[in-house]
Amino acid sequence: MSGGSREPPVVLDDDDDLLHLRDDDARQYNIDAAHGVVEAVRSTFGPRGLDKMLVGTTGDTTVTNDGVTVLNSMDIDHPAAKLLVQVARAQEEEVGDGTTTAVLFAGALLRQAEDLLERGLHPVLIVDGYHVAVERAFEDIDDLADPLDAGDDTALERIARTSLIGTSVETDATALVPLLVEAVRRATVDGTVDFDLLQVHAHAGRSITRSEVFTGAVVEGDACHEAMPREIDDARVMLLDGTMELEPTEHEVRVEADTADGLAAILADEETRLDRAVEHVLETGANVVLVTGNVDDRASAFLSSEGVLAVDHLGWGDAELRFLRDALGAAVVTDLGAVAEDTLGHASVRRDDEHDCFLLESDGGLGASLVLRGATRSVVDEIDRSASDALDVMARAIADDRTLPGGGAVEVELAARLRGHADGVRGPQQLAVGAFADALETIPRTLASNAGFDVVNVLTGLRAAHAAGDANAGLDVSDGSVLDAREAGIVEPAQVKEQALLGATRTAAQLLEIDLVVSAEGLSPVVDGDESS
Ligand code: ADP
Ligand code: MG
């Protein structure tokens, strides 16, 4: 798609229905669209970023500080703008955090490219220069990264806290962060975090400080009989993937049910069979019975009279059954005859009537439940989003084992180093490498401007500190001064940064290499945002 001087391979007639933009016009059109997306998320960035209130078509409201959530809510149909939204989504999927960073950086690369294009630099050379720069940046990141002591709770807490800062959860971070670290610990096996071992539940109605994490499971639903106990300290839990009901076989029914006596006999027979099965369950010592299918009235009355709690119609699939099995240390039985003392899990059971669920805290299981609480649905949903980012980021840091100083520190340092490298790059690409360095500084710039500080002052201060050898110098958002980001506990996993740089560079390159836009529908304005801020 390169080669500005060449004619495009498509032969176009002068059909008025098609709108054609070539070369600079095509690029400018796309770059303008990209900026629309950047501006939509800019103000959410960093610890002093503002929340956005998103009102959906049905009037549902979301209050969020999360870049991807903002972008997902917007009605974007410009292809170039969509590419930028794609960067944010990819970032969210790959590493779970740094989405706004990626979008801002892509925007800054395009802004820089506009200057270079005006100065007559060919887009292909700009793209080449950006690729050289991102490679150098990766080498420098390796050099700047510190290893993470994954066994150290404080180190993980810092990473979680940095990720939560700026979200509505920030003020309650003290309550939440240790829980999140605890959740990650409980989902870690052999040094790797396995999110299949963690179930997160978001319950509206109580304060965030009432959030909790425990080994065990949350079981939605209520007992199948009024008189059953709802709280059991010393629970022995049976997991049945099946039903507890009378089941005369069709065969028997057909052969014998043509007389009333025959039918009664079959039922009596079945009742005895079911009673025996329930007796067998009771003999194993089970006092909590969790059943995917139906427990019929007879069985449920029997269990109830014996003080057993039964919950039925749980409808769990394979993944949920596996989680329950591991979390409770029980075996999944498909046939009541197979229940035995050693197929039971051990737990203590609490009832949460407000959310119509039971909380089963187990003592020996592998698998944890994180119950996030918040005053209202919209509050707890945002807590859920923020917490999920923080969990991802910790897992990422544990897997990657490299951390970088935040607060703009790493960007300013990378920019300074790149400017040094640029001197060694020959030809016009040198300009592009320098432009890449300038683009990196959009991160500290935006942090500063969102916090209300003079951008030039802040940047001058940061550059001076880095020139003096302080690679960890970042922005103190409380007063605009320079702080040691590592000492202040502002650290992020290196992969989050790498992914953001890479995604942004690729997208900017893609947009710069487009030299023709043809649209059958006419060229519409960029963003039909239904965002409000
Ligand atoms: P993203 O979507 O890119 O994660 P955020 O709004 O979460 O955007 O902001 C992340 C940025 O905020 C990072 O550059 C991070 O270093 C910075 N940051 C986080 N905590 C602080 C802090 N206490 N002081 C200064 N900067 C911070
Ligand atoms: Mg973040």
Side-chain angles (χ1 to χ4, degrees):
M1 282 263 223
S2 57
S5 53
R6 211 163 16 89
E7 271 302 297
V10 191
V11 181
L12 301 159
D13 58 14
D14 277 339
D15 186 340
D16 284 342
D17 291 346
L18 295 184
L19 231 153
H20 310 145
L21 291 174
R22 263 170 238 257
D23 297 328
D24 287 352
D25 289 339
R27 268 182 290 273
Q28 196 58 53
Y29 172 69
N30 284 330
I31 290 173
D32 288 345
H35 288 320
V37 173
V38 175
E39 291 318 312
V41 294
R42 185 185 296 285
S43 67
T44 69
F45 186 63
R48 292 293 157 89
L50 300 175
D51 289 351
K52 301 256 173 200
M53 179 183 280
L54 313 166
V55 182
T57 42
T58 56
D60 49 312
T61 314
T62 306
V63 176
T64 186
N65 185 264
D66 182 43
V68 181
T69 309
V70 174
L71 294 178
N72 280 340
S73 76
M74 290 167 67
D75 181 14
I76 294 173
D77 55 32
H78 189 292
K82 275 188 182 156
L83 269 184
L84 222 65
V85 174
Q86 212 48 53
V87 186
R89 291 203 184 128
Q91 180 79 20
E92 175 81 8
E93 269 162 37
E94 302 275 328
V95 287
D97 198 10
T99 53
T100 318
T101 304
V103 172
L104 287 177
F105 188 55
L109 286 176
L110 291 169
R111 188 64 86 200
Q112 292 293 330
E114 280 181 277
D115 279 354
L116 297 179
L117 289 167
E118 257 168 43
R119 289 162 70 177
L121 210 66
H122 195 282
V124 169
L125 292 177
I126 301 176
V127 169
D128 284 352
Y130 281 0
H131 283 131
V132 170
V134 82
E135 256 175 54
R136 289 307 306 229
F138 270 50
E139 285 168 28
D140 287 329
I141 282 176
D142 263 339
D143 186 44
L144 289 168
D146 271 0
L148 170 86
D149 180 358
D152 176 6
D153 280 356
T154 323
L156 280 187
E157 282 185 9
R158 285 187 176 140
I159 286 171
R161 196 177 289 269
T162 304
S163 153
L164 289 178
I165 270 170
T167 70
S168 59
V169 182
E170 181 182 348
T171 42
D172 294 302
T174 320
L176 196 61
V177 163
L179 281 185
L180 296 176
V181 171
E182 183 67 37
V184 162
R185 293 277 181 240
R186 287 178 196 245
T188 304
V189 183
D190 297 334
T192 358
V193 184
D194 178 358
F195 282 125
D196 286 346
L197 296 177
L198 181 68
Q199 287 196 344
V200 182
H201 303 264
H203 288 174
R206 265 176 273 174
S207 135
I208 185 173
T209 56
R210 304 287 296 276
S211 299
E212 56 180 317
V213 65
F214 54 89
T215 294
V218 173
V219 172
E220 315 274 345
D222 198 359
C224 48
H225 195 287
E226 269 298 294
M228 285 177 173
R230 303 295 200 280
E231 310 246 342
I232 301 177
D233 280 345
D234 180 23
R236 293 171 300 280
V237 188
M238 176 184 94
L239 279 183
L240 175 68
D241 186 13
T243 59
M244 290 175 93
E245 55 189 1
L246 301 172
E247 32 192 353
T249 65
E250 265 185 56
H251 172 70
E252 285 172 316
V253 175
R254 244 185 277 120
V255 175
E256 297 179 51
D258 43 1
T259 69
D261 282 355
L263 185 58
I266 295 168
L267 288 179
D269 200 38
E270 272 307 314
E271 283 171 4
T272 337
R273 195 180 301 178
L274 181 65
D275 289 350
R276 286 219 192 95
V278 174
E279 274 161 17
H280 169 68
V281 169
L282 293 170
E283 277 161 19
T284 65
N287 55 4
V288 175
V289 170
L290 304 178
V291 186
T292 55
N294 184 42
V295 174
D296 76 12
D297 290 349
R298 184 180 180 88
S300 116
F302 191 170
L303 290 166
S304 174
S305 71
E306 295 292 326
V308 171
L309 164 63
V311 189
D312 67 348
H313 295 292
L314 288 166
W316 290 319
D318 285 347
E320 281 161 307
L321 278 169
R322 261 198 308 277
F323 176 80
L324 265 293
R325 177 195 70 192
D326 294 344
L328 300 175
V332 177
V333 295
T334 49
D335 158 25
L336 283 178
V339 185
E341 204 183 327
D342 63 3
T343 65
L344 304 179
H346 293 259
S348 74
V349 178
R350 275 178 292 145
R351 174 74 187 155
D352 180 345
D353 268 326
E354 204 178 328
H355 293 100
D356 192 28
C357 67
F358 294 95
L359 292 84
L360 279 72
E361 199 164 333
S362 86
D363 40 21
L366 180 66
S369 296
L370 172 63
V371 182
L372 298 169
R373 299 205 161 94
T376 65
R377 191 73 250 163
S378 123
V379 166
V380 78
D381 283 346
E382 177 72 352
I383 294 173
D384 193 9
R385 276 189 292 274
S386 311
S388 132
D389 281 1
L391 290 169
D392 281 348
V393 168
M394 282 187 280
R396 186 60 51 185
I398 289 171
D400 179 31
D401 188 34
R402 295 173 306 149
T403 65
L404 292 170
V410 72
E411 288 85 2
V412 175
E413 181 66 20
L414 289 176
R417 290 182 179 213
L418 273 179
R419 289 190 188 104
H421 298 317
D423 295 340
V425 178
R426 266 180 297 135
Q429 281 176 9
Q430 189 185 33
L431 286 175
V433 175
F436 189 98
D438 292 346
L440 279 166
E441 287 177 343
T442 195
I443 301 304
R445 277 174 190 280
T446 311
L447 287 175
S449 90
N450 284 354
F453 299 119
D454 182 86
V455 172
V456 176
N457 277 347
V458 165
L459 212 60
T460 313
L462 287 175
R463 282 181 179 168
H466 283 262
D470 183 0
N472 295 329
L475 171 64
D476 186 338
V477 289
S478 66
D479 60 5
S481 67
V482 174
L483 52 59
D484 184 306
R486 279 201 192 277
E487 269 176 23
I490 310 168
V491 283
E492 298 168 276
Q495 276 188 356
V496 170
K497 229 36 123 176
E498 287 175 342
Q499 179 66 33
L501 294 191
L502 197 62
T505 307
R506 285 192 182 142
T507 305
Q510 231 174 334
L511 287 175
L512 290 172
E513 284 177 339
I514 293 170
D515 65 357
L516 176 69
V517 174
V518 181
S519 171
E521 299 193 348
L523 300 176
S524 56
V526 178
V527 181
D528 288 335
D530 61 358
E531 93 279 18
S532 37
S533 48

